[in-house]
Amino acid sequence: MANYSTNEFKAGLKIMLDGEPCNILENEYVKPGKGQAFNRVKIRKLISNKVLEKTFKSGDSVEGADVLDTELAYLYNDGEFFHFMNNETFEQIAADEKAVGDAVKWLVENDTCTLTLWNGSPIAVTPPNFVELEITETDPGLKGDTAGTGGKPATLATGAVVRVPLFVQTGEVIKVDTRSGEYVSRAQK
Amino acid sequence: MSDWQPSATLTRLQARAEVMQRIRAFFAARGVLEVETPSLCAAGVTDVHLQAFTTHLHMPGKQQGQQLFLQTSPEYAMKRLLCAGSGPIFQLFRAYRNEEAGRHHNPEFTLLEWYRPGFDHRQLISEVDALMQHVLACPGAEIFTYQQVFVDHVGVDPLCADIEALRDVAMQRGHGDVAENETDKDTLLQLLFCMEVEPRIGQQAPCFVTHFPASQAALARIDEQDPRTARRFELYYKGMELANGFHELADADEQQARFEQDNQQRQRLGLPQVPLDHYLLDALRSGLPDCAGVALGVDRLVMLACGAREIKEVLSFSYHNA
């Protein structure tokens, strides 16, 4: 993997730090009136997901991280691994529970997810922004209630729990925003 | 789509023009002569942390072009004018530095540089303070020694501490990546100053920091009362470094020795050697009047005058679409 000098740093560049691939979020060039210049860099570690600040001497270089985002369709979970497939090449990739993380509650068969691969292995899974899931359990709502009040909890087919309006019932399919975990609407038939 | 539009709004360009007018009025009222000196010179700056743009002049009939340096500041030429008896002079100079661009940096920028024969660093600080108030209508400045601000904000005496003590505190403050293997004391001092001191000073009123360590003297004379320090000052205001000034070194032999040390350090770092400015050294040998001089970043001053967050907001065209 190529090395990157601080003057190539910019948001989105992937570098190796403490043996972990990281994504640069912000880069600021700092220079005293006379003397050595520095780069103050805000970084997200891609495995631990920690955000931290690092200082580099300007002109220093850092090893790049072979990190790639790829779009794959979710197939199934075999109890240990989650299997995804490239719909063009039919190549399959298996991600473990750690890589899938919180995305597990938004995985719908055949939905296209973004897999972040480091040296070819998945380290993170990002579900689509919107998914459609069936409600498996929710209290029957009160008659005549419309949208707008506090709503009620509903458990979805994947085990995710979201707040839904009182008029939505068990067995219905709803659309959820996976970034906020919020109900959007009933699914379009 | 082509990105042809200016980086600054028209309002900002008007604010910029007004700052320039105020600067000229300030010096006209004080009898300081406006001068212009060349951007292209045969010699450049030796400072290892400054990289000049170079170009070649192709004269008819000559096979090889002559190497020329775009000046990183007008200091050498202005000192030659002083040696020639110019009296007090100022210049609004377009400076060029081959380095990274950022929120406060553009590879070409405008410097206000001025020299005052008969002034020492203290008298010049008062004049910079007066100019700041004249241009920005800001409060009067505070003045601290480098040692004082360093002790206040880092908790270590920069003039006495050894490398290990500086490295320890840098690591405690989260700068271990740089500090861990650093063997140069000045780099550690600059790291701590940049990261821990600068963001905390000059927030309410402009702040002068004086008496930098002698090892960071640049072109300042060493202080006779405390030879660990140099008569060099810097000005900070609202998170920006604005100006650097010296009670000027007049000793040609010491100046030449500092240039040569710079070139030796350049060699160690694998940087190109820079020819010494013999015109400057000869001028110093003929006698530089006792004087103080300062360079102030005009673009940053304009940023303060109109509340801009980035330097490109006060440039007609920043390097991004120059």
Side-chain angles (χ1 to χ4, degrees), chain A residues 5-9 17-18 27-41 52-60, chain B residues 47 49-50 75 97 99-105 173-175 177-178 182 187 190-191 194-195 198 216 218 232 234 241 244 246:
Chain A
S5 162
T6 54
N7 60 20
E8 296 171 273
F9 280 12
L17 218 59
D18 311 327
N27 170 40
E28 176 139 51
Y29 178 65
V30 188
K31 194 176 198 292
K34 303 262 171 213
Q36 177 69 49
F38 302 96
N39 288 67
R40 193 90 177 115
V41 184
L52 64 162
E53 287 203 331
K54 288 271 178 185
T55 311
F56 296 91
K57 249 160 86 170
S58 294
D60 278 0
Chain B
D47 185 328
H49 298 296
L50 284 176
E75 178 155 10
R97 295 184 184 175
E99 60 188 31
E100 217 165 307
R103 215 151 61 78
H104 298 155
H105 294 86
R173 304 275 180 119
H175 310 299
D177 297 296
V178 174
E182 188 54 61
T187 302
Q190 285 156 1
L191 172 72
C194 259
M195 301 296 166
E198 271 191 41
Q216 297 177 33
R232 172 182 158 211
E234 290 257 4
E241 188 258 342
N244 177 76
F246 304 134

Side-chain angles (χ1 to χ4, degrees), chain A residues 81-102:
Chain A
F81 290 102
F82 296 79
H83 297 267
F84 296 83
M85 184 173 74
N86 182 324
N87 277 336
E88 279 157 31
T89 63
F90 306 112
E91 184 196 355
Q92 290 193 21
I93 291 180
D96 61 14
E97 216 169 87
K98 198 166 155 257
V100 174
D102 285 344

Side-chain angles (χ1 to χ4, degrees), chain A residues 15-136:
Chain A
I15 57 168
M16 290 298 295
L17 218 59
D18 311 327
E20 188 172 332
C22 301
N23 183 22
I24 292 181
L25 302 175
E26 285 172 27
N27 170 40
E28 176 139 51
Y29 178 65
V30 188
K31 194 176 198 292
K34 303 262 171 213
Q36 177 69 49
F38 302 96
N39 288 67
R40 193 90 177 115
V41 184
K42 196 185 234 183
I43 278 167
R44 180 189 297 282
K45 292 194 161 184
L46 290 173
I47 293 177
S48 58
N49 226 20
K50 279 189 195 130
V51 174
L52 64 162
E53 287 203 331
K54 288 271 178 185
T55 311
F56 296 91
K57 249 160 86 170
S58 294
D60 278 0
S61 51
V62 187
E63 193 191 343
D66 180 10
V67 171
L68 179 81
D69 282 343
T70 177
E71 309 265 288
L72 298 173
Y74 174 60
L75 297 178
Y76 64 97
N77 168 18
D78 65 11
E80 189 180 0
F81 290 102
F82 296 79
H83 297 267
F84 296 83
M85 184 173 74
N86 182 324
N87 277 336
E88 279 157 31
T89 63
F90 306 112
E91 184 196 355
Q92 290 193 21
I93 291 180
D96 61 14
E97 216 169 87
K98 198 166 155 257
V100 174
D102 285 344
V104 65
K105 59 186 182 190
W106 307 121
L107 290 182
V108 177
E109 269 177 44
N110 296 321
D111 271 4
T112 303
C113 299
T114 304
L115 267 72
T116 304
L117 306 181
W118 173 40
N119 296 331
S121 304
I123 52 170
V125 174
T126 312
N129 291 344
F130 298 100
V131 296
E132 292 185 353
L133 285 164
E134 188 187 335
I135 296 175
T136 53

Side-chain angles (χ1 to χ4, degrees), chain B residues 272-298:
Chain B
Q273 296 288 296
V274 177
L276 304 195
D277 191 332
H278 287 288
Y279 295 124
L280 172 68
L281 293 171
D282 288 348
L284 294 179
R285 284 199 178 91
S286 85
L288 177 73
D290 191 22
C291 67
V294 62
L296 186 149
V298 173

Side-chain angles (χ1 to χ4, degrees), chain B residues 131-180:
Chain B
L131 175 83
M132 289 290 285
Q133 294 180 50
H134 175 76
V135 173
L136 299 178
C138 60
E142 300 176 310
I143 304 175
F144 298 101
T145 64
Y146 182 92
Q147 186 180 30
Q148 183 67 50
V149 285
F150 212 93
V151 169
D152 285 352
H153 298 287
V154 182
V156 172
D157 182 341
L159 302 179
C160 303
D162 56 16
I163 283 199
E164 284 70 32
L166 293 170
R167 198 183 284 146
D168 285 350
V169 66
M171 291 181 69
Q172 282 162 26
R173 304 275 180 119
H175 310 299
D177 297 296
V178 174
E180 205 172 2

